[in-house]
Amino acid sequence: MAVVTPPVSNLNNLNLMIALGLWDPQSSRKYPKNEVNEVKYQRVKNTYGGGRMVKLLSDICLGCIASNLDSISNVRQYLPAVHKEILLKRLSDHDMLMTSYLPHVTYNLFSPVLKRVEFYYCDQLTDDVLVSLARSGCKLKELTIKKCSNVTEVGLQKITRGQDELTYFYIKSFPGLGDKGLMHLKSKNLTTFRLQNCRDVTSECIKTAITNNPFINVVNLNDSVKLDDTLFPVIATTLRENLEKLHCRDIHCMSDSSLSMIAEHCPNLHTLDLLGSSKITKLSVEKVFQNLRKLKNLDISYCPKLQNQPDVHVLTQMPSTLQELSLCGVFITDRDILVSAVQRLENLRKVRLCGVPSLDDDALEEILKAVGGNLERLDLSGCREITDHGLRAITKYCHSLEELDLTQVKNVTGESLLRLFKDETRADLLLRLNLRCSVSKFNEDLLYTVISKCHNLEMLDIAGHLFVTDDIVLSIAENCPKLRELYIKGCKMVTDTAICEIACRCPLTILSISGLHNLTDKSIFALANSCHYLEELYLSGCALISRVALRYLQDCCITRVYIMHKVPNAASNMLMAKNLDTGEFCRADLMN
């Protein structure tokens, strides 16, 4: 039998096998090709069982290395930069930066070759860890720190000092970020600057960062509530032509004068998110429409001063370059203004009209007749005046839809959409579908049609429909192999049988099963064995699911899983144990 080297696709995979001892380049031991394949097959089969979605061999190798940094010899020598970055993220995601293990992490993974570092929800990340990382001499291109409560601005100063190759900077929910927290953030290459939900950050802190990095293209300041209006003139006069995207969601301090300066000094701005800007009026918005000739994406949701006369007329001046528009929560009562404002946007691809009171069946017909042919996303959630008659316009005019949101559209059965979903060409285009309408008269046949025809669905929300049974979920599992997000909150007739099946068949990353009181640890065990890339799990009210099972799920998943599990009045004496014969978690306190 001929002897060959392992069939690897690149040097990175070869180094993984060397580190794990699957191939020894210094000895005569070479795996025959069929033997290497058998190793891969048996590891996968024995660990996860036949018929289930399994981890990649590279993920299995990385998991093994992550748990054995203290015992694999010379592992740092064989790991390329990309694997060191992945391992560092996974160790933090699984809370393995404990004091006893941290020296092995710093020795093997902290290195000058690191380029991208991300920490998420890791309480073990401290200033000392960031100091050690900085001392390794790494020249980062991307730095992300999200919801790490034990890091202060001292650690942030250390890790950002001297990082002059940084292109991407993102911190979220960062406590205690004072005026000097970003004083060392200086990089001529920095293009993306994101601060989200940093509620203590001040305008002075951001001014320093903007002034030191004048080539930024993307600025995201969402939910930074302590900012004042002096910040935006600095952004406008410093970034000027470089600024392309500005996100100021839920920042209520922006005034007309500040927005006008943005419009005057930043001609290349193509994305503007002003959701919740309560002070802006027609005066500044008119300048935005006149000056920003490249504007493609605009969100003016919940801007209350734009909905009253005479300011509301400014909406009829929106530039025809717009491809995405959100008017959520803008209570436009004049139907003619709404129609004339939207129907002239010939390049529109995505539109959100959530809760706009003047949107009735006739208005929707006129709008979709003008722009429906090119629409890829249509969000009508909360539009109470829409009926099945209005939905006919979607079937009639929308031939390119990829996303449709009908959340809380209460006066519909969905029957008028049947012809759309039965059209195989259009059904194949649909990727995201929200049918959370929560009415007893919703057409059950429509849901079966969706499931049987829309084979490319990646997200489906049918929460609250009491007619959803195991049969429906099983049908979803059989017909929607690309489904990544499933929301069946409150569908009380669904049991473990359906959840186990969909876990095995679909590459789920987000699953909402809150309020399914019959679910047990059997479902969690199935998710742990099959859905290794799960990111979010919502199961509040599932009293039969134990914390022990959830801990096992977290250990099995590749990245950190965000879990929302609130159990009202859970039994104080509940004791869970794993059945070694079946692998299931059971209520041990109920056993004889």
Side-chain angles (χ1 to χ4, degrees):
M1 179 169 56
V3 177
V4 297
T5 57
V8 293
S9 58
N10 53 50
L11 182 60
N12 291 349
N13 290 337
L14 179 60
N15 287 337
L16 272 176
M17 297 184 74
I18 293 173
L20 286 171
L22 296 181
W23 183 56
D24 183 3
Q26 302 301 322
S27 73
S28 58
R29 182 188 179 198
K30 304 289 193 297
Y31 282 112
K33 183 175 182 179
N34 61 344
E35 186 177 344
V36 172
N37 291 339
E38 183 66 13
V39 168
K40 175 179 177 179
Y41 174 76
Q42 287 299 334
R43 278 173 175 257
V44 169
K45 180 180 179 182
N46 294 340
T47 307
Y48 301 103
R52 295 192 178 99
M53 304 183 69
V54 298
K55 290 181 181 177
L56 298 174
L57 178 60
S58 59
D59 285 326
I60 298 173
C61 292
L62 286 167
C64 181
I65 293 174
S67 301
N68 294 278
L69 289 175
D70 56 342
S71 57
I72 303 177
S73 92
N74 295 324
V75 64
R76 62 180 298 179
Q77 174 184 345
Y78 297 115
L79 287 174
V82 63
H83 285 150
K84 288 182 178 179
E85 293 164 359
I86 293 172
L87 282 169
L88 185 55
K89 182 180 185 302
R90 293 189 184 181
L91 287 166
S92 67
D93 284 346
H94 290 85
D95 298 318
M96 294 181 67
L97 302 182
M98 67 282 286
T99 304
S100 59
Y101 201 58
L102 187 58
H104 304 290
V105 176
T106 57
Y107 176 75
N108 289 296
L109 303 184
F110 287 11
S111 164
V113 301
L114 293 179
K115 298 297 181 183
R116 295 167 181 83
V117 173
E118 178 179 350
F119 299 102
Y120 171 57
Y121 248 126
C122 183
D123 290 337
Q124 294 174 337
L125 183 69
T126 64
D127 291 343
D128 290 339
V129 176
L130 291 181
V131 169
S132 297
L133 182 60
R135 287 176 179 169
S136 71
C138 59
K139 283 293 187 179
L140 299 178
K141 290 187 176 181
E142 298 180 11
L143 175 61
T144 301
I145 303 176
K146 298 187 289 184
K147 298 185 178 181
C148 298
S149 58
N150 289 322
V151 178
T152 71
E153 65 176 8
V154 174
L156 195 60
Q157 288 174 353
K158 295 293 184 181
I159 191 59
T160 54
R161 184 190 290 271
Q163 298 293 347
D164 53 8
E165 296 181 10
L166 206 62
T167 62
Y168 181 92
F169 179 78
Y170 177 24
I171 59 176
K172 178 178 180 180
S173 302
F174 196 98
L177 186 59
D179 290 348
K180 298 182 179 180
L182 300 178
M183 62 185 296
H184 297 309
L185 181 64
K186 297 180 182 180
S187 172
K188 63 182 179 180
N189 298 312
L190 189 64
T191 58
T192 300
F193 177 77
R194 297 184 63 187
L195 268 67
Q196 185 173 348
N197 198 33
C198 295
R199 296 185 172 271
D200 296 325
V201 69
T202 63
S203 292
E204 294 305 316
C205 178
I206 298 178
K207 286 178 188 178
T208 300
I210 295 296
T211 304
N212 289 337
N213 301 275
F215 299 104
I216 292 174
N217 303 140
V218 180
V219 175
N220 188 322
L221 305 173
N222 290 349
D223 304 309
S224 301
V225 297
K226 289 189 177 180
L227 303 182
D228 59 53
D229 196 39
T230 64
L231 170 62
F232 301 103
V234 174
I235 292 176
T237 56
T238 303
L239 301 184
R240 293 183 174 271
E241 291 84 359
N242 293 315
L243 187 61
E244 297 177 356
K245 297 182 180 181
L246 178 61
H247 298 269
C248 300
R249 181 164 296 210
D250 287 325
I251 297 178
H252 305 286
C253 63
M254 181 182 286
S255 65
D256 274 336
S257 61
S258 292
L259 183 57
S260 296
M261 288 193 70
I262 295 289
E264 291 170 6
H265 293 279
C266 306
N268 292 324
L269 195 68
H270 61 72
T271 297
L272 182 59
D273 185 349
L274 300 172
L275 183 147
S277 297
S278 56
K279 294 182 179 180
I280 63 171
T281 68
K282 173 185 177 181
L283 297 175
S284 58
V285 173
E286 196 168 40
K287 289 186 178 180
V288 167
F289 294 161
Q290 291 172 353
N291 293 5
L292 300 182
R293 299 296 182 179
K294 298 181 180 180
L295 193 63
K296 295 181 180 180
N297 308 327
L298 177 66
D299 191 337
I300 49 176
S301 303
Y302 303 100
C303 295
K305 292 190 176 181
L306 296 181
Q307 64 194 33
N308 301 321
Q309 297 286 358
D311 285 23
V312 69
H313 288 275
V314 75
L315 298 180
T316 61
Q317 301 176 33
M318 289 188 291
S320 59
T321 55
L322 283 182
Q323 296 179 5
E324 298 183 27
L325 172 65
S326 179
L327 295 174
C328 298
V330 181
F331 296 109
I332 305 170
T333 56
D334 191 315
R335 176 186 169 280
D336 293 335
I337 290 179
L338 173 66
V339 172
S340 61
V342 180
Q343 69 179 182
R344 56 186 295 276
L345 304 177
E346 58 188 20
N347 294 306
L348 204 60
R349 297 293 183 271
K350 300 179 181 181
V351 62
R352 301 183 67 210
L353 301 172
C354 317
V356 178
S358 57
L359 185 67
D360 56 19
D361 290 344
D362 293 336
L364 183 61
E365 169 90 20
E366 292 184 50
I367 289 172
L368 294 184
K369 184 177 181 179
V371 303
N374 295 323
L375 278 185
E376 297 170 1
R377 178 184 181 185
L378 177 60
D379 188 343
L380 301 176
S381 55
C383 294
R384 299 182 178 181
E385 301 302 318
I386 299 296
T387 68
D388 283 314
H389 179 75
L391 295 185
R392 288 195 182 96
I394 300 176
T395 301
K396 185 175 182 180
Y397 299 112
C398 297
H399 298 280
S400 304
L401 272 186
E402 296 178 3
E403 304 179 35
L404 177 61
D405 193 336
L406 300 177
T407 304
Q408 299 301 324
V409 181
K410 296 185 176 181
N411 298 317
V412 299
T413 64
E415 291 182 5
S416 53
L417 294 174
L418 274 170
R419 188 161 60 88
L420 183 153
F421 295 122
K422 289 181 178 179
D423 183 333
E424 292 187 1
T425 301
R426 288 195 283 176
D428 282 342
L429 291 176
L430 278 166
L431 303 178
R432 301 177 66 85
L433 186 59
N434 193 322
L435 300 176
R436 190 187 296 199
C437 302
S438 64
V439 290
S440 57
K441 61 181 180 180
F442 191 84
N443 193 311
E444 188 174 345
D445 292 337
L446 173 68
L447 185 54
Y448 275 108
T449 302
V450 167
I451 295 168
S452 62
K453 299 294 185 180
C454 302
H455 301 296
N456 292 317
L457 275 181
E458 296 177 1
M459 188 282 282
L460 178 62
D461 189 338
I462 51 175
H465 290 299
L466 299 181
F467 61 77
V468 174
T469 63
D470 278 353
D471 288 341
I472 289 178
V473 178
L474 290 171
S475 183
I476 294 172
E478 182 177 353
N479 292 285
C480 305
K482 299 180 181 179
L483 194 69
R484 299 173 62 85
E485 302 177 31
L486 177 63
Y487 303 85
I488 50 176
K489 174 182 177 180
C491 300
K492 300 179 180 180
M493 298 176 67
V494 176
T495 70
D496 286 330
T497 301
I499 300 301
C500 291
E501 187 67 17
I502 204 163
C504 292
R505 289 175 174 260
C506 298
L508 296 176
T509 58
I510 301 177
L511 178 63
S512 176
I513 48 178
S514 298
L516 277 61
H517 307 303
N518 295 321
L519 296 187
T520 69
D521 284 346
K522 183 177 182 180
S523 291
I524 304 303
F525 191 72
L527 291 169
N529 276 354
S530 298
C531 299
H532 309 293
Y533 301 91
L534 195 66
E535 296 175 0
E536 299 177 26
L537 178 62
Y538 301 87
L539 35 73
S540 295
C542 301
L544 300 180
I545 292 177
S546 71
R547 295 285 180 182
V548 175
L550 294 179
R551 182 68 247 185
Y552 177 75
L553 170 67
Q554 290 172 319
D555 291 340
C556 290
C557 288
I558 299 296
T559 60
R560 185 180 296 280
V561 184
Y562 174 79
I563 296 176
M564 176 64 72
H565 183 41
K566 295 181 180 179
V567 183
N569 304 319
S572 59
N573 62 341
M574 182 185 293
L575 176 64
M576 307 302 297
K578 183 177 179 180
N579 187 320
L580 297 180
D581 294 325
T582 65
E584 298 178 13
F585 285 92
C586 309
R587 286 281 301 275
D589 56 298
L590 299 180
M591 295 180 179
N592 294 327

